[in-house]
mmCIF file with all atom_site columns, all heavy atoms in Angstrom:
data_model
loop_
_atom_site.group_PDB
_atom_site.id
_atom_site.type_symbol
_atom_site.label_atom_id
_atom_site.label_alt_id
_atom_site.label_comp_id
_atom_site.label_asym_id
_atom_site.label_entity_id
_atom_site.label_seq_id
_atom_site.pdbx_PDB_ins_code
_atom_site.Cartn_x
_atom_site.Cartn_y
_atom_site.Cartn_z
_atom_site.occupancy
_atom_site.B_iso_or_equiv
_atom_site.pdbx_formal_charge
_atom_site.auth_seq_id
_atom_site.auth_comp_id
_atom_site.auth_asym_id
_atom_site.auth_atom_id
_atom_site.pdbx_PDB_model_num
ATOM   1   N N   . GLU Q 1 82  ? -5.475  36.860 11.724 1.00 0.00 ? 82  GLU Q N   1
ATOM   2   C CA  . GLU Q 1 82  ? -6.660  37.423 12.388 1.00 0.00 ? 82  GLU Q CA  1
ATOM   3   C C   . GLU Q 1 82  ? -7.445  38.191 11.288 1.00 0.00 ? 82  GLU Q C   1
ATOM   4   O O   . GLU Q 1 82  ? -6.924  38.388 10.180 1.00 0.00 ? 82  GLU Q O   1
ATOM   5   C CB  . GLU Q 1 82  ? -6.287  38.288 13.566 1.00 0.00 ? 82  GLU Q CB  1
ATOM   6   C CG  . GLU Q 1 82  ? -5.347  39.446 13.225 1.00 0.00 ? 82  GLU Q CG  1
ATOM   7   C CD  . GLU Q 1 82  ? -6.028  40.781 13.190 1.00 0.00 ? 82  GLU Q CD  1
ATOM   8   O OE1 . GLU Q 1 82  ? -6.659  41.184 14.146 1.00 0.00 ? 82  GLU Q OE1 1
ATOM   9   O OE2 . GLU Q 1 82  ? -5.932  41.462 12.091 1.00 0.00 ? 82  GLU Q OE2 1
ATOM   10  N N   . THR Q 1 84  ? -9.102  41.491 11.711 1.00 0.00 ? 84  THR Q N   1
ATOM   11  C CA  . THR Q 1 84  ? -9.292  42.929 11.779 1.00 0.00 ? 84  THR Q CA  1
ATOM   12  C C   . THR Q 1 84  ? -8.476  43.657 10.709 1.00 0.00 ? 84  THR Q C   1
ATOM   13  O O   . THR Q 1 84  ? -9.036  44.537 10.021 1.00 0.00 ? 84  THR Q O   1
ATOM   14  C CB  . THR Q 1 84  ? -8.868  43.448 13.194 1.00 0.00 ? 84  THR Q CB  1
ATOM   15  O OG1 . THR Q 1 84  ? -9.520  42.642 14.174 1.00 0.00 ? 84  THR Q OG1 1
ATOM   16  C CG2 . THR Q 1 84  ? -9.236  44.889 13.387 1.00 0.00 ? 84  THR Q CG2 1
ATOM   17  N N   . ARG Q 1 112 ? -2.026  30.709 12.686 1.00 0.00 ? 112 ARG Q N   1
ATOM   18  C CA  . ARG Q 1 112 ? -0.919  31.177 13.519 1.00 0.00 ? 112 ARG Q CA  1
ATOM   19  C C   . ARG Q 1 112 ? 0.009   29.983 13.818 1.00 0.00 ? 112 ARG Q C   1
ATOM   20  O O   . ARG Q 1 112 ? -0.497  28.922 14.230 1.00 0.00 ? 112 ARG Q O   1
ATOM   21  C CB  . ARG Q 1 112 ? -1.423  31.769 14.839 1.00 0.00 ? 112 ARG Q CB  1
ATOM   22  C CG  . ARG Q 1 112 ? -2.227  33.020 14.668 1.00 0.00 ? 112 ARG Q CG  1
ATOM   23  C CD  . ARG Q 1 112 ? -2.676  33.675 15.985 1.00 0.00 ? 112 ARG Q CD  1
ATOM   24  N NE  . ARG Q 1 112 ? -3.676  34.645 15.714 1.00 0.00 ? 112 ARG Q NE  1
ATOM   25  C CZ  . ARG Q 1 112 ? -4.350  35.333 16.645 1.00 0.00 ? 112 ARG Q CZ  1
ATOM   26  N NH1 . ARG Q 1 112 ? -4.040  35.132 17.926 1.00 0.00 ? 112 ARG Q NH1 1
ATOM   27  N NH2 . ARG Q 1 112 ? -5.276  36.192 16.335 1.00 0.00 ? 112 ARG Q NH2 1
ATOM   28  N N   . GLU Q 1 114 ? 1.549   28.568 16.175 1.00 0.00 ? 114 GLU Q N   1
ATOM   29  C CA  . GLU Q 1 114 ? 1.715   28.418 17.588 1.00 0.00 ? 114 GLU Q CA  1
ATOM   30  C C   . GLU Q 1 114 ? 1.957   26.941 17.942 1.00 0.00 ? 114 GLU Q C   1
ATOM   31  O O   . GLU Q 1 114 ? 1.720   26.081 17.056 1.00 0.00 ? 114 GLU Q O   1
ATOM   32  C CB  . GLU Q 1 114 ? 0.489   28.873 18.348 1.00 0.00 ? 114 GLU Q CB  1
ATOM   33  C CG  . GLU Q 1 114 ? 0.122   30.363 18.077 1.00 0.00 ? 114 GLU Q CG  1
ATOM   34  C CD  . GLU Q 1 114 ? -0.905  30.864 19.036 1.00 0.00 ? 114 GLU Q CD  1
ATOM   35  O OE1 . GLU Q 1 114 ? -0.549  31.128 20.202 1.00 0.00 ? 114 GLU Q OE1 1
ATOM   36  O OE2 . GLU Q 1 114 ? -2.075  30.966 18.655 1.00 0.00 ? 114 GLU Q OE2 1
ATOM   37  N N   . GLY Q 1 119 ? -7.463  23.468 22.260 1.00 0.00 ? 119 GLY Q N   1
ATOM   38  C CA  . GLY Q 1 119 ? -7.974  24.839 22.192 1.00 0.00 ? 119 GLY Q CA  1
ATOM   39  C C   . GLY Q 1 119 ? -7.023  25.831 21.472 1.00 0.00 ? 119 GLY Q C   1
ATOM   40  O O   . GLY Q 1 119 ? -7.340  26.959 21.266 1.00 0.00 ? 119 GLY Q O   1
ATOM   41  N N   . TYR Q 1 121 ? -4.661  26.040 17.988 1.00 0.00 ? 121 TYR Q N   1
ATOM   42  C CA  . TYR Q 1 121 ? -4.343  25.330 16.732 1.00 0.00 ? 121 TYR Q CA  1
ATOM   43  C C   . TYR Q 1 121 ? -3.619  26.243 15.805 1.00 0.00 ? 121 TYR Q C   1
ATOM   44  O O   . TYR Q 1 121 ? -3.510  27.458 16.028 1.00 0.00 ? 121 TYR Q O   1
ATOM   45  C CB  . TYR Q 1 121 ? -5.633  24.782 16.110 1.00 0.00 ? 121 TYR Q CB  1
ATOM   46  C CG  . TYR Q 1 121 ? -6.454  24.029 17.095 1.00 0.00 ? 121 TYR Q CG  1
ATOM   47  C CD1 . TYR Q 1 121 ? -7.590  24.619 17.727 1.00 0.00 ? 121 TYR Q CD1 1
ATOM   48  C CD2 . TYR Q 1 121 ? -6.058  22.714 17.548 1.00 0.00 ? 121 TYR Q CD2 1
ATOM   49  C CE1 . TYR Q 1 121 ? -8.287  23.936 18.679 1.00 0.00 ? 121 TYR Q CE1 1
ATOM   50  C CE2 . TYR Q 1 121 ? -6.772  22.066 18.467 1.00 0.00 ? 121 TYR Q CE2 1
ATOM   51  C CZ  . TYR Q 1 121 ? -7.853  22.624 19.108 1.00 0.00 ? 121 TYR Q CZ  1
ATOM   52  O OH  . TYR Q 1 121 ? -8.559  21.991 20.087 1.00 0.00 ? 121 TYR Q OH  1
ATOM   53  N N   . PHE Q 1 124 ? -7.223  27.851 12.773 1.00 0.00 ? 124 PHE Q N   1
ATOM   54  C CA  . PHE Q 1 124 ? -8.388  27.871 13.649 1.00 0.00 ? 124 PHE Q CA  1
ATOM   55  C C   . PHE Q 1 124 ? -9.399  28.806 13.002 1.00 0.00 ? 124 PHE Q C   1
ATOM   56  O O   . PHE Q 1 124 ? -9.117  29.402 11.976 1.00 0.00 ? 124 PHE Q O   1
ATOM   57  C CB  . PHE Q 1 124 ? -8.033  28.357 15.081 1.00 0.00 ? 124 PHE Q CB  1
ATOM   58  C CG  . PHE Q 1 124 ? -7.421  29.726 15.109 1.00 0.00 ? 124 PHE Q CG  1
ATOM   59  C CD1 . PHE Q 1 124 ? -8.177  30.836 15.420 1.00 0.00 ? 124 PHE Q CD1 1
ATOM   60  C CD2 . PHE Q 1 124 ? -6.065  29.896 14.768 1.00 0.00 ? 124 PHE Q CD2 1
ATOM   61  C CE1 . PHE Q 1 124 ? -7.625  32.115 15.436 1.00 0.00 ? 124 PHE Q CE1 1
ATOM   62  C CE2 . PHE Q 1 124 ? -5.509  31.178 14.796 1.00 0.00 ? 124 PHE Q CE2 1
ATOM   63  C CZ  . PHE Q 1 124 ? -6.278  32.297 15.139 1.00 0.00 ? 124 PHE Q CZ  1
ATOM   64  N N   . GLN Q 1 126 ? -12.371 31.883 13.351 1.00 0.00 ? 126 GLN Q N   1
ATOM   65  C CA  . GLN Q 1 126 ? -12.913 32.998 14.147 1.00 0.00 ? 126 GLN Q CA  1
ATOM   66  C C   . GLN Q 1 126 ? -14.213 33.459 13.527 1.00 0.00 ? 126 GLN Q C   1
ATOM   67  O O   . GLN Q 1 126 ? -14.390 33.448 12.301 1.00 0.00 ? 126 GLN Q O   1
ATOM   68  C CB  . GLN Q 1 126 ? -11.940 34.194 14.135 1.00 0.00 ? 126 GLN Q CB  1
ATOM   69  C CG  . GLN Q 1 126 ? -10.771 34.071 15.030 1.00 0.00 ? 126 GLN Q CG  1
ATOM   70  C CD  . GLN Q 1 126 ? -9.970  35.393 15.037 1.00 0.00 ? 126 GLN Q CD  1
ATOM   71  O OE1 . GLN Q 1 126 ? -10.131 36.293 14.192 1.00 0.00 ? 126 GLN Q OE1 1
ATOM   72  N NE2 . GLN Q 1 126 ? -9.061  35.522 15.992 1.00 0.00 ? 126 GLN Q NE2 1
ATOM   73  N N   . GLU Q 1 130 ? -16.505 43.890 13.305 1.00 0.00 ? 130 GLU Q N   1
ATOM   74  C CA  . GLU Q 1 130 ? -15.812 45.183 13.314 1.00 0.00 ? 130 GLU Q CA  1
ATOM   75  C C   . GLU Q 1 130 ? -16.850 46.269 13.069 1.00 0.00 ? 130 GLU Q C   1
ATOM   76  O O   . GLU Q 1 130 ? -17.648 46.185 12.129 1.00 0.00 ? 130 GLU Q O   1
ATOM   77  C CB  . GLU Q 1 130 ? -14.744 45.223 12.200 1.00 0.00 ? 130 GLU Q CB  1
ATOM   78  C CG  . GLU Q 1 130 ? -13.809 44.048 12.112 1.00 0.00 ? 130 GLU Q CG  1
ATOM   79  C CD  . GLU Q 1 130 ? -12.934 43.783 13.312 1.00 0.00 ? 130 GLU Q CD  1
ATOM   80  O OE1 . GLU Q 1 130 ? -12.815 44.654 14.177 1.00 0.00 ? 130 GLU Q OE1 1
ATOM   81  O OE2 . GLU Q 1 130 ? -12.324 42.722 13.397 1.00 0.00 ? 130 GLU Q OE2 1
ATOM   82  N N   . ARG Q 1 258 ? -4.124  42.651 26.078 1.00 0.00 ? 258 ARG Q N   1
ATOM   83  C CA  . ARG Q 1 258 ? -4.322  42.044 24.765 1.00 0.00 ? 258 ARG Q CA  1
ATOM   84  C C   . ARG Q 1 258 ? -2.987  41.975 23.968 1.00 0.00 ? 258 ARG Q C   1
ATOM   85  O O   . ARG Q 1 258 ? -2.062  42.740 24.266 1.00 0.00 ? 258 ARG Q O   1
ATOM   86  C CB  . ARG Q 1 258 ? -5.406  42.756 23.911 1.00 0.00 ? 258 ARG Q CB  1
ATOM   87  C CG  . ARG Q 1 258 ? -6.662  42.988 24.693 1.00 0.00 ? 258 ARG Q CG  1
ATOM   88  C CD  . ARG Q 1 258 ? -7.764  41.970 24.399 1.00 0.00 ? 258 ARG Q CD  1
ATOM   89  N NE  . ARG Q 1 258 ? -8.002  41.815 22.997 1.00 0.00 ? 258 ARG Q NE  1
ATOM   90  C CZ  . ARG Q 1 258 ? -7.951  40.534 22.410 1.00 0.00 ? 258 ARG Q CZ  1
ATOM   91  N NH1 . ARG Q 1 258 ? -7.703  39.499 23.100 1.00 0.00 ? 258 ARG Q NH1 1
ATOM   92  N NH2 . ARG Q 1 258 ? -8.183  40.432 21.137 1.00 0.00 ? 258 ARG Q NH2 1
ATOM   93  N N   . TYR Q 1 262 ? -2.974  47.294 18.118 1.00 0.00 ? 262 TYR Q N   1
ATOM   94  C CA  . TYR Q 1 262 ? -3.826  48.383 17.613 1.00 0.00 ? 262 TYR Q CA  1
ATOM   95  C C   . TYR Q 1 262 ? -4.876  48.924 18.573 1.00 0.00 ? 262 TYR Q C   1
ATOM   96  O O   . TYR Q 1 262 ? -5.558  49.869 18.282 1.00 0.00 ? 262 TYR Q O   1
ATOM   97  C CB  . TYR Q 1 262 ? -4.531  47.940 16.279 1.00 0.00 ? 262 TYR Q CB  1
ATOM   98  C CG  . TYR Q 1 262 ? -5.189  46.571 16.225 1.00 0.00 ? 262 TYR Q CG  1
ATOM   99  C CD1 . TYR Q 1 262 ? -6.228  46.227 17.071 1.00 0.00 ? 262 TYR Q CD1 1
ATOM   100 C CD2 . TYR Q 1 262 ? -4.757  45.685 15.252 1.00 0.00 ? 262 TYR Q CD2 1
ATOM   101 C CE1 . TYR Q 1 262 ? -6.805  44.965 16.975 1.00 0.00 ? 262 TYR Q CE1 1
ATOM   102 C CE2 . TYR Q 1 262 ? -5.323  44.401 15.185 1.00 0.00 ? 262 TYR Q CE2 1
ATOM   103 C CZ  . TYR Q 1 262 ? -6.358  44.087 16.006 1.00 0.00 ? 262 TYR Q CZ  1
ATOM   104 O OH  . TYR Q 1 262 ? -6.952  42.857 15.892 1.00 0.00 ? 262 TYR Q OH  1
ATOM   105 N N   . TYR Q 1 263 ? -4.958  48.349 19.773 1.00 0.00 ? 263 TYR Q N   1
ATOM   106 C CA  . TYR Q 1 263 ? -6.017  48.749 20.681 1.00 0.00 ? 263 TYR Q CA  1
ATOM   107 C C   . TYR Q 1 263 ? -5.780  50.134 21.359 1.00 0.00 ? 263 TYR Q C   1
ATOM   108 O O   . TYR Q 1 263 ? -4.645  50.545 21.606 1.00 0.00 ? 263 TYR Q O   1
ATOM   109 C CB  . TYR Q 1 263 ? -6.237  47.705 21.711 1.00 0.00 ? 263 TYR Q CB  1
ATOM   110 C CG  . TYR Q 1 263 ? -6.827  46.407 21.145 1.00 0.00 ? 263 TYR Q CG  1
ATOM   111 C CD1 . TYR Q 1 263 ? -6.013  45.260 21.146 1.00 0.00 ? 263 TYR Q CD1 1
ATOM   112 C CD2 . TYR Q 1 263 ? -8.082  46.320 20.674 1.00 0.00 ? 263 TYR Q CD2 1
ATOM   113 C CE1 . TYR Q 1 263 ? -6.513  44.068 20.629 1.00 0.00 ? 263 TYR Q CE1 1
ATOM   114 C CE2 . TYR Q 1 263 ? -8.580  45.146 20.127 1.00 0.00 ? 263 TYR Q CE2 1
ATOM   115 C CZ  . TYR Q 1 263 ? -7.785  44.020 20.133 1.00 0.00 ? 263 TYR Q CZ  1
ATOM   116 O OH  . TYR Q 1 263 ? -8.290  42.839 19.601 1.00 0.00 ? 263 TYR Q OH  1
ATOM   117 N N   . THR Q 1 280 ? -9.528  31.722 26.823 1.00 0.00 ? 280 THR Q N   1
ATOM   118 C CA  . THR Q 1 280 ? -10.186 32.937 26.240 1.00 0.00 ? 280 THR Q CA  1
ATOM   119 C C   . THR Q 1 280 ? -10.974 32.538 25.024 1.00 0.00 ? 280 THR Q C   1
ATOM   120 O O   . THR Q 1 280 ? -10.441 32.100 24.013 1.00 0.00 ? 280 THR Q O   1
ATOM   121 C CB  . THR Q 1 280 ? -9.092  33.960 25.838 1.00 0.00 ? 280 THR Q CB  1
ATOM   122 O OG1 . THR Q 1 280 ? -8.234  34.147 26.964 1.00 0.00 ? 280 THR Q OG1 1
ATOM   123 C CG2 . THR Q 1 280 ? -9.725  35.247 25.425 1.00 0.00 ? 280 THR Q CG2 1
ATOM   124 N N   . VAL Q 1 281 ? -12.303 32.645 25.105 1.00 0.00 ? 281 VAL Q N   1
ATOM   125 C CA  . VAL Q 1 281 ? -13.148 32.317 24.010 1.00 0.00 ? 281 VAL Q CA  1
ATOM   126 C C   . VAL Q 1 281 ? -13.424 33.470 23.040 1.00 0.00 ? 281 VAL Q C   1
ATOM   127 O O   . VAL Q 1 281 ? -13.778 33.274 21.900 1.00 0.00 ? 281 VAL Q O   1
ATOM   128 C CB  . VAL Q 1 281 ? -14.475 31.687 24.418 1.00 0.00 ? 281 VAL Q CB  1
ATOM   129 C CG1 . VAL Q 1 281 ? -14.250 30.313 25.114 1.00 0.00 ? 281 VAL Q CG1 1
ATOM   130 C CG2 . VAL Q 1 281 ? -15.279 32.563 25.352 1.00 0.00 ? 281 VAL Q CG2 1
ATOM   131 N N   . GLY Q 1 303 ? -14.180 46.222 17.858 1.00 0.00 ? 303 GLY Q N   1
ATOM   132 C CA  . GLY Q 1 303 ? -14.646 44.885 17.426 1.00 0.00 ? 303 GLY Q CA  1
ATOM   133 C C   . GLY Q 1 303 ? -14.172 43.801 18.343 1.00 0.00 ? 303 GLY Q C   1
ATOM   134 O O   . GLY Q 1 303 ? -13.565 44.098 19.444 1.00 0.00 ? 303 GLY Q O   1
ATOM   135 N N   . PHE Q 1 304 ? -14.400 42.590 17.935 1.00 0.00 ? 304 PHE Q N   1
ATOM   136 C CA  . PHE Q 1 304 ? -13.985 41.458 18.696 1.00 0.00 ? 304 PHE Q CA  1
ATOM   137 C C   . PHE Q 1 304 ? -13.920 40.222 17.775 1.00 0.00 ? 304 PHE Q C   1
ATOM   138 O O   . PHE Q 1 304 ? -14.455 40.292 16.661 1.00 0.00 ? 304 PHE Q O   1
ATOM   139 C CB  . PHE Q 1 304 ? -14.929 41.128 19.895 1.00 0.00 ? 304 PHE Q CB  1
ATOM   140 C CG  . PHE Q 1 304 ? -16.273 40.703 19.498 1.00 0.00 ? 304 PHE Q CG  1
ATOM   141 C CD1 . PHE Q 1 304 ? -16.557 39.427 19.074 1.00 0.00 ? 304 PHE Q CD1 1
ATOM   142 C CD2 . PHE Q 1 304 ? -17.311 41.625 19.497 1.00 0.00 ? 304 PHE Q CD2 1
ATOM   143 C CE1 . PHE Q 1 304 ? -17.808 39.048 18.675 1.00 0.00 ? 304 PHE Q CE1 1
ATOM   144 C CE2 . PHE Q 1 304 ? -18.613 41.231 19.119 1.00 0.00 ? 304 PHE Q CE2 1
ATOM   145 C CZ  . PHE Q 1 304 ? -18.809 39.942 18.676 1.00 0.00 ? 304 PHE Q CZ  1
ATOM   146 N N   . ALA Q 1 305 ? -13.270 39.192 18.247 1.00 0.00 ? 305 ALA Q N   1
ATOM   147 C CA  . ALA Q 1 305 ? -13.369 37.914 17.512 1.00 0.00 ? 305 ALA Q CA  1
ATOM   148 C C   . ALA Q 1 305 ? -13.434 36.792 18.534 1.00 0.00 ? 305 ALA Q C   1
ATOM   149 O O   . ALA Q 1 305 ? -12.862 36.868 19.583 1.00 0.00 ? 305 ALA Q O   1
ATOM   150 C CB  . ALA Q 1 305 ? -12.175 37.731 16.588 1.00 0.00 ? 305 ALA Q CB  1
ATOM   151 N N   . GLY Q 1 307 ? -13.083 32.517 19.085 1.00 0.00 ? 307 GLY Q N   1
ATOM   152 C CA  . GLY Q 1 307 ? -12.496 31.308 18.546 1.00 0.00 ? 307 GLY Q CA  1
ATOM   153 C C   . GLY Q 1 307 ? -13.553 30.211 18.489 1.00 0.00 ? 307 GLY Q C   1
ATOM   154 O O   . GLY Q 1 307 ? -14.059 29.759 19.504 1.00 0.00 ? 307 GLY Q O   1
HETATM 155 P P1  . LIG Y 2 .   ? -7.241  37.481 19.417 1.00 0.00 ? 501 LIG Y P1  1
HETATM 156 O O1  . LIG Y 2 .   ? -7.384  37.622 20.865 1.00 0.00 ? 501 LIG Y O1  1
HETATM 157 O O2  . LIG Y 2 .   ? -5.883  37.312 18.879 1.00 0.00 ? 501 LIG Y O2  1
HETATM 158 O O3  . LIG Y 2 .   ? -7.974  38.750 18.787 1.00 0.00 ? 501 LIG Y O3  1
HETATM 159 O O4  . LIG Y 2 .   ? -8.115  36.270 18.905 1.00 0.00 ? 501 LIG Y O4  1
HETATM 160 C C1  . LIG Y 2 .   ? -9.511  36.191 19.199 1.00 0.00 ? 501 LIG Y C1  1
HETATM 161 C C2  . LIG Y 2 .   ? -9.915  34.784 19.609 1.00 0.00 ? 501 LIG Y C2  1
HETATM 162 O O5  . LIG Y 2 .   ? -9.511  33.863 18.640 1.00 0.00 ? 501 LIG Y O5  1
HETATM 163 C C3  . LIG Y 2 .   ? -9.236  34.320 20.894 1.00 0.00 ? 501 LIG Y C3  1
HETATM 164 O O6  . LIG Y 2 .   ? -9.897  34.831 22.018 1.00 0.00 ? 501 LIG Y O6  1
HETATM 165 C C4  . LIG Y 2 .   ? -9.394  32.831 20.742 1.00 0.00 ? 501 LIG Y C4  1
HETATM 166 O O7  . LIG Y 2 .   ? -10.685 32.399 21.158 1.00 0.00 ? 501 LIG Y O7  1
HETATM 167 C C5  . LIG Y 2 .   ? -9.228  32.610 19.216 1.00 0.00 ? 501 LIG Y C5  1
HETATM 168 N N1  . LIG Y 2 .   ? -7.849  32.177 18.908 1.00 0.00 ? 501 LIG Y N1  1
HETATM 169 C C6  . LIG Y 2 .   ? -6.756  32.931 18.781 1.00 0.00 ? 501 LIG Y C6  1
HETATM 170 N N2  . LIG Y 2 .   ? -5.689  32.168 18.474 1.00 0.00 ? 501 LIG Y N2  1
HETATM 171 C C7  . LIG Y 2 .   ? -6.134  30.923 18.439 1.00 0.00 ? 501 LIG Y C7  1
HETATM 172 C C8  . LIG Y 2 .   ? -5.506  29.619 18.136 1.00 0.00 ? 501 LIG Y C8  1
HETATM 173 N N3  . LIG Y 2 .   ? -4.191  29.566 17.816 1.00 0.00 ? 501 LIG Y N3  1
HETATM 174 N N4  . LIG Y 2 .   ? -6.239  28.527 18.195 1.00 0.00 ? 501 LIG Y N4  1
HETATM 175 C C9  . LIG Y 2 .   ? -7.567  28.594 18.442 1.00 0.00 ? 501 LIG Y C9  1
HETATM 176 N N5  . LIG Y 2 .   ? -8.201  29.736 18.746 1.00 0.00 ? 501 LIG Y N5  1
HETATM 177 C C10 . LIG Y 2 .   ? -7.477  30.890 18.713 1.00 0.00 ? 501 LIG Y C10 1
HETATM 178 C C11 . LIG Y 2 .   ? -8.070  38.964 17.430 1.00 0.00 ? 501 LIG Y C11 1
HETATM 179 O O8  . LIG Y 2 .   ? -7.794  38.156 16.579 1.00 0.00 ? 501 LIG Y O8  1
HETATM 180 C C12 . LIG Y 2 .   ? -8.624  40.301 17.067 1.00 0.00 ? 501 LIG Y C12 1
HETATM 181 N N6  . LIG Y 2 .   ? -8.604  40.443 15.633 1.00 0.00 ? 501 LIG Y N6  1
HETATM 182 C C13 . LIG Y 2 .   ? -9.963  40.500 17.647 1.00 0.00 ? 501 LIG Y C13 1
HETATM 183 C C14 . LIG Y 2 .   ? -10.585 41.822 17.352 1.00 0.00 ? 501 LIG Y C14 1
HETATM 184 C C15 . LIG Y 2 .   ? -11.449 42.096 16.344 1.00 0.00 ? 501 LIG Y C15 1
HETATM 185 N N7  . LIG Y 2 .   ? -10.300 42.941 17.978 1.00 0.00 ? 501 LIG Y N7  1
HETATM 186 C C16 . LIG Y 2 .   ? -10.968 43.938 17.386 1.00 0.00 ? 501 LIG Y C16 1
HETATM 187 N N8  . LIG Y 2 .   ? -11.654 43.425 16.412 1.00 0.00 ? 501 LIG Y N8  1
#
Side-chain angles (χ1 to χ4, degrees):
E82 56 104 57
T84 310
R112 295 183 194 176
E114 299 193 79
Y121 309 103
F124 59 99
Q126 282 185 345
E130 312 296 347
R258 311 261 311 126
Y262 45 62
Y263 293 111
T280 308
V281 292
F304 65 79

